[in-house]
Amino acid sequence: MEYGDVSARRQLRQRLNCSSFAWYMKHLFPEFPSPNEAEASGEIRSQAATYCLQAGSMVQVRPCYGNSSSQYFLLSKNGEVIHGLSCMDRVDESQFKLLPCHAMKGNQEWIYQQDDTMLHPGSSKCIELSSDDKKLIMAPCDASKQRQRWSWKRRRPAENPTLQSWLKFDLKQ
């Protein structure tokens, strides 16, 4: 996308000694998870069917829409599945809520494993798409079960040069 000549805006930012957007996010809004620091981001898509995790009062499965904000999640370095400022919390074997992130792991800790399963260490079980494609359930981990395998839209956001340049854009350079 062509933005035209922005040199006047750059000079203004330099004259006003403005900080970068990354500085703003780090210092003034540190609780907001950065996609640039996430282990994975985007939709969480079942490898068994065209269903994705979707945020609401409960985390549910719905048809994947692509670019839907309700299907956009981050996987933090601490193992939190984040939507906005909330984390996916395992309530029981078939209920998952979005609750305020507490950084204490427990019901909010998830490990996205090399075999594409999502392990909940507290229960030693993995998320599985039910056989009727209508809900999420917890089941003993078995990577051979396609219903337990999930794909994130982006697994390494730091390798996305457009996203990285947007987050680190600094007009002082």
Side-chain angles (χ1 to χ4, degrees):
M1 177 180 279
E2 183 60 41
Y3 295 102
D5 184 10
V6 294
S7 59
R9 300 306 276 166
R10 291 180 83 154
Q11 289 172 355
L12 175 64
R13 287 195 61 196
Q14 286 177 337
R15 191 168 20 99
L16 296 175
N17 198 26
C18 295
S19 295
S20 67
F21 184 71
W23 181 94
Y24 169 81
M25 294 301 290
K26 181 178 179 182
H27 292 92
L28 300 179
F29 200 27
E31 66 275 10
F32 191 79
S34 169
N36 200 42
E37 295 175 5
E39 297 293 319
S41 64
E43 67 186 17
I44 307 172
R45 180 181 289 258
S46 169
Q47 292 183 15
T50 56
Y51 286 91
C52 290
L53 270 60
Q54 182 164 314
S57 59
M58 303 295 286
V59 177
Q60 303 173 341
V61 287
R62 295 287 182 262
C64 299
Y65 302 120
N67 295 331
S68 170
S69 62
S70 63
Q71 293 182 348
Y72 185 87
F73 293 87
L74 298 174
L75 178 64
S76 77
K77 291 180 180 180
N78 296 329
E80 299 154 319
V81 175
I82 302 170
H83 177 78
L85 295 176
S86 299
C87 287
M88 185 168 82
D89 192 288
R90 177 189 167 272
V91 177
D92 61 32
E93 297 297 303
S94 62
Q95 288 190 343
F96 307 85
K97 283 187 174 184
L98 285 174
L99 297 173
C101 299
H102 54 59
M104 294 173 24
K105 302 197 182 250
N107 281 346
Q108 292 184 357
E109 182 180 19
W110 302 93
I111 298 172
Y112 185 51
Q113 303 186 107
Q114 292 289 348
D115 59 13
D116 294 336
T117 58
M118 290 185 57
L119 170 68
H120 181 258
S123 66
S124 299
K125 293 184 178 180
C126 288
I127 297 175
E128 182 173 311
L129 178 65
S130 64
S131 59
D132 61 4
D133 296 338
K134 294 190 179 195
K135 63 182 179 177
L136 294 172
I137 58 174
M138 298 299 295
C141 296
D142 180 354
S144 69
K145 293 174 80 174
Q146 197 75 5
R147 295 189 168 278
Q148 287 190 12
R149 298 179 66 191
W150 302 88
S151 297
W152 287 77
K153 186 158 189 157
R154 284 173 293 284
R155 288 183 78 165
R156 293 182 180 88
E159 293 177 5
N160 182 335
T162 304
L163 178 62
Q164 194 161 19
S165 65
W166 178 76
L167 288 170
K168 292 186 175 182
F169 186 63
D170 189 348
L171 293 173
K172 292 179 185 179
Q173 297 175 352

